[in-house]
Amino acid sequence: MRAQFSSMRWTLWWRLWAMFMVMSTVLRLGLMTQGVLQAPHHDLPMAFLRGALFDALSGAAVLYVLAWFLAVLPARAWRGPWWRAWMVMGTACWLAFFAVVLVSEWIFWGEFQSRFNFIAVDYLVYTHEVLGNIWQSYPVGRLLALVGVLAVLGSLTLWQRWLPRSRALNADIGPRWGFPLALTAVLAGGFSVASGASHRWSEDARLNELSGAGVYEFFSAVRNSELDYEHFYASMPAPEAMQRLRHQLVTAHAGLASDDPMDITRVVRYDQPEQHWNVVLVSIESLSADFLGVFGNPRGLTPHLDELARQGLLFTRLYATGTRTVRGLEALTLSVPPTPGQSIVKRPGHAGLFTLGSVLRSKGYDTQYVYGGYGYFDNMNAFFGDNHYEVVDRTAITQPVHHENIWGVADEDLFSLALSQADQAHQRGRPFFLHVMTTSNHRPYTYPSGRIDIPSHTGREGAVKYTDWALGDFVRRAKAQPWFDRTVFVFVADHCASSAGKTELPIEKYHIPAIVYAPGLVQPGRVDRLASQIDLAPTLLGLMHMNYTSRFLGYDLMDLEPGRERAFVSTYQNLGYWRGNTLVELSPQQLTSVTAVAGADASDAGHLLRDDVMADAISWYQGAAWAYRHGGLADVNSAGLKRP
């Protein structure tokens, strides 16, 4: 009798767990239709089997508290109408939670072609922007209403079939505690095994993602948001890595500053006089190179950027370091390869670093970070404010704007703010450096009407074309200002619109445009060399012949002899190093791979040995992580600078 009564006590738990498994399987079948059907069919059963194991653990973990609640609840409580009503409501809430998670996973997959990962953890901190973006991009009201109705119907169905038998429950202690204690042991053992048996079992990234479980992946990402390089990745003794990195950092006009084998500091000296031109660096949200006509797009989305490319210096083979705005800001500001886990922009200990802003402030510049949203998002206020920038964000705009959404004001209003800040700096008689971050080329893709021939809120192409229009309007207005003839404009993407693909690091999805536009100051042309986003800051300073002590890890491309070009690409865990026709990928658990890059020019570095490329890749990433952790990226100009 006790076993019979005990099984009745857990009927609700088992049915909820079974519903979680069914819903998760349905979700996996749905995700399979979104780009996974092209994967090898013989591997699909394995993906589903692995996914079911992760789902089983995840469902049990989500229902863990319920198991203890049911154990504590005395039998007499089941006989009262209030307890039954509360349990019906609680069951409806659990079902609604399951449904919301699954719908969120579907939306997340559509955006990133991935199960929940570190991006989802990252965005959870900024619920106002993220929830606002979802609300403006999807029919959230209808989805929530449907979820609510299904949850209530499901809970009533469960309880109508189970309540008549619930009165038979007894209050004996033994049968109550056995199940939650056994569940505790199963979860402890299961997660211990799962943590060492990653679901990344296939060479096809889509199958790996399909075999994951969103709930498990989410909490795994929470646990692994920052990764110690030497613990998780292929490495070498730190002195050897730093020695190799130091050797690679030297160029014609950048020599090592000391004999310290762990010091990456260089002294940069040019023969020509310094040019203290104004600088406006515009990092453009999600602008893939293949949106531009100069890179072959036939749809006419970027007529103004195409014209600026013809009139300026176009970098044709420049690659973003990551897939998030904070990675782009890190690369453009700190000029360092991506380290695994969070961007440095969002890490503790981000203050007092060597940045493009600190170099220019030491030269007498006004340095500002200008953003059309609220700078607390993605830790922008703290990072830039602690690294010799004045942050000017949405709170500085007091006049009416043409349009805004959850991410910030329309790009044209952002550029009006930037023009105002430039005018004020010019009136003070100081050169200025403005780092301007756009937002309009982002879901929900809304912008003022009447600007372009694509209606607002209809998709990415409209947002790209509007951003291009706003950039053209910005340059047109800037030409009327007295400071224009002494100003260098840099237009560069923060990252691509999408980085999903068959491989973990599809390098074609990291290709971004970069244009230096300065009529009369910088000769128009094309730079067709392989380049990284981290090279832009030292190249810009080189164009102005700036002399400075450097802790950048990027190159001045005009000062680099042929054959040494390289690029860095990454997800939050996987790190890629591209040189010549070779891509090295470094992954957790000390995994490495070397593949040929399709279409790459083998003559760039065809003489390099595989082991040399691998060692170089490790030294760049390990050296960057070591330098950050041990103060090697600290600002060398701090003592002589005042905080903005």
Side-chain angles (χ1 to χ4, degrees), residues 138-183:
Y138 300 96
V140 177
R142 293 194 294 272
L143 287 174
L144 290 178
L146 178 62
V147 166
V149 170
L150 293 176
V152 171
L153 291 176
S155 63
L156 290 174
T157 300
L158 281 173
W159 281 82
Q160 284 175 355
R161 298 187 61 183
W162 184 52
L163 271 174
R165 294 185 292 166
S166 67
R167 299 187 180 211
L169 290 171
N170 67 6
D172 289 347
I173 296 297
R176 291 200 216 170
W177 305 124
F179 181 78
L181 289 173
L183 182 63

Side-chain angles (χ1 to χ4, degrees), residues 140-475:
V140 177
R142 293 194 294 272
L143 287 174
L144 290 178
L146 178 62
V147 166
V149 170
L150 293 176
V152 171
L153 291 176
S155 63
L156 290 174
T157 300
L158 281 173
W159 281 82
Q160 284 175 355
R161 298 187 61 183
W162 184 52
L163 271 174
R165 294 185 292 166
S166 67
R167 299 187 180 211
L169 290 171
N170 67 6
D172 289 347
I173 296 297
R176 291 200 216 170
W177 305 124
F179 181 78
L181 289 173
L183 182 63
T184 300
V186 169
L187 287 176
F191 282 121
S192 176
V193 173
S195 64
S198 170
H199 71 268
R200 302 195 178 278
W201 53 278
S202 171
E203 295 181 357
D204 193 311
R206 296 164 299 185
L207 285 173
N208 289 331
E209 294 298 337
L210 187 68
S211 64
V215 174
Y216 178 86
E217 295 302 318
F218 181 87
F219 288 103
S220 177
V222 171
R223 186 176 65 253
N224 298 313
S225 60
E226 292 191 37
L227 302 176
D228 179 75
Y229 181 90
E230 293 183 15
H231 179 75
F232 287 99
Y233 293 83
S235 61
M236 59 183 70
E240 181 182 343
M242 296 302 291
Q243 180 182 11
R244 197 174 190 100
L245 178 59
R246 277 166 51 89
H247 175 74
Q248 294 176 91
L249 289 173
V250 175
T251 61
H253 293 91
L256 294 170
S258 74
D259 294 329
D260 184 344
M262 308 300 283
D263 184 16
I264 61 170
T265 309
R266 278 104 54 229
V267 176
V268 181
R269 289 286 182 268
Y270 295 96
D271 299 330
Q272 302 92 329
E274 288 189 356
Q275 301 295 326
H276 289 193
W277 301 328
N278 304 309
V279 177
V280 179
L281 169 61
V282 181
S283 47
I284 308 168
E285 175 68 42
S286 304
L287 188 70
S288 305
D290 56 16
F291 287 137
L292 274 66
V294 292
F295 291 107
N297 190 301
R299 299 183 63 81
L301 301 177
T302 59
H304 299 93
L305 278 169
D306 293 337
E307 184 61 25
L308 291 170
R310 286 187 285 269
Q311 297 177 4
L313 185 63
L314 173 66
F315 294 80
T316 62
R317 299 181 63 202
L318 188 132
Y319 288 80
T321 61
T323 61
R324 291 284 317 283
T325 294
V326 286
R327 277 298 187 201
L329 295 177
E330 174 188 79
L332 295 169
T333 304
L334 298 172
S335 186
V336 295
T339 50
Q342 293 204 44
S343 164
I344 292 174
V345 172
K346 303 192 66 175
R347 291 187 189 179
H350 63 252
L353 299 178
F354 184 79
T355 65
L356 180 56
S358 71
V359 174
L360 293 175
R361 182 164 282 270
S362 72
K363 301 290 184 179
Y365 281 66
D366 278 356
T367 56
Q368 298 181 355
Y369 177 71
V370 185
Y371 180 56
Y374 293 98
Y376 69 83
F377 180 71
D378 268 344
N379 208 44
M380 296 178 192
N381 279 346
F383 173 76
F384 285 99
D386 288 341
N387 287 290
H388 304 296
Y389 291 77
E390 176 188 358
V391 177
V392 183
D393 68 354
R394 176 67 180 87
T395 60
I397 303 177
T398 56
Q399 69 275 19
V401 298
H402 294 88
H403 178 79
E404 64 180 313
N405 58 30
I406 194 63
W407 296 111
V409 300
D411 285 351
E412 61 190 272
D413 297 309
L414 167 67
F415 290 137
S416 294
L417 176 62
L419 288 169
S420 174
Q421 297 303 120
D423 288 342
Q424 293 176 35
H426 180 71
Q427 291 169 8
R428 291 192 292 268
R430 294 165 61 89
F432 57 81
F433 166 48
L434 306 182
H435 184 154
V436 184
M437 180 70 225
T438 76
T439 61
S440 290
N441 187 27
H442 195 297
R443 196 181 297 275
Y445 311 130
T446 60
Y447 41 85
S449 60
R451 299 295 190 259
I452 60 172
D453 56 1
I454 302 176
S456 173
H457 205 2
T458 56
R460 172 76 73 179
E461 287 194 352
V464 170
K465 194 165 188 177
Y466 168 72
T467 292
D468 176 78
W469 176 91
L471 287 165
D473 180 67
F474 172 53
V475 173

